[in-house]
Amino acid sequence: MLDAEDVRRIALSLPDTTEKIAWSMPTFRVAGKMFATLPEDETSIAVRCPKEERDELALAEPEKFWIADHEAQFAWVRVRLAALEDEDELRDILADSWRQAAPTRLLEAHPRLGLPPEA
């Protein structure tokens, strides 16, 4: 089962990522901009996700994704670590969130990071 250390290891492996405690929880930032947090008891993560996609995810897989009340107005979604299939799925979710927060210079330097493999 995936845990907070897996989140930390994968998040910190992404380019220009740092960890910072904010609101009494670990947060992960790319070039200073937050893209993931480990809230409460560290059994879930919060990541950036466009609202339209987030709503679809929460409806399609409620055992895996949900929207915290205090984050409803923002483009963030919660992900239950225990519901993830494997480390690759966690890596994909974190990399996708990283892409949403990363500055253009990093996106240009890492054009395939967080994107599905080319067919």
Side-chain angles (χ1 to χ4, degrees):
M1 185 168 91
L2 297 165
D3 62 20
E5 286 310 308
D6 295 311
V7 172
R8 182 171 282 109
R9 178 176 44 78
I10 293 168
L12 291 173
S13 75
L14 298 170
D16 205 14
T17 295
T18 57
E19 181 177 349
K20 179 180 178 182
I21 299 297
W23 307 288
S24 301
M25 72 178 106
T27 66
F28 300 92
R29 299 161 187 258
V30 55
K33 195 169 180 183
M34 191 165 42
F35 71 92
T37 68
L38 266 166
E40 291 92 34
D41 60 4
E42 298 186 348
T43 62
S44 68
I45 56 174
V47 292
R48 290 176 174 268
C49 185
K51 287 184 180 180
E52 314 76 49
E53 290 177 30
R54 163 191 87 168
D55 295 343
E56 288 176 20
L57 286 171
L59 286 172
E61 297 183 82
E63 71 287 349
K64 189 180 292 187
F65 301 101
W66 87 99
I67 302 161
D69 290 341
H70 67 281
E71 295 167 345
Q73 65 190 11
F74 304 106
W76 287 77
V77 69
R78 295 284 182 103
V79 185
R80 289 178 182 86
L81 294 175
L84 294 177
E85 291 177 28
D86 55 27
E87 195 171 292
D88 288 341
E89 186 177 20
L90 175 59
R91 183 176 291 107
D92 289 347
I93 289 168
L94 287 169
D96 183 61
S97 186
W98 179 93
R99 285 188 62 75
Q100 293 175 60
T104 303
R105 69 177 170 79
L106 285 174
L107 294 175
E108 289 172 351
H110 306 278
R112 299 298 311 155
L113 186 66
L115 297 177
E118 291 183 42

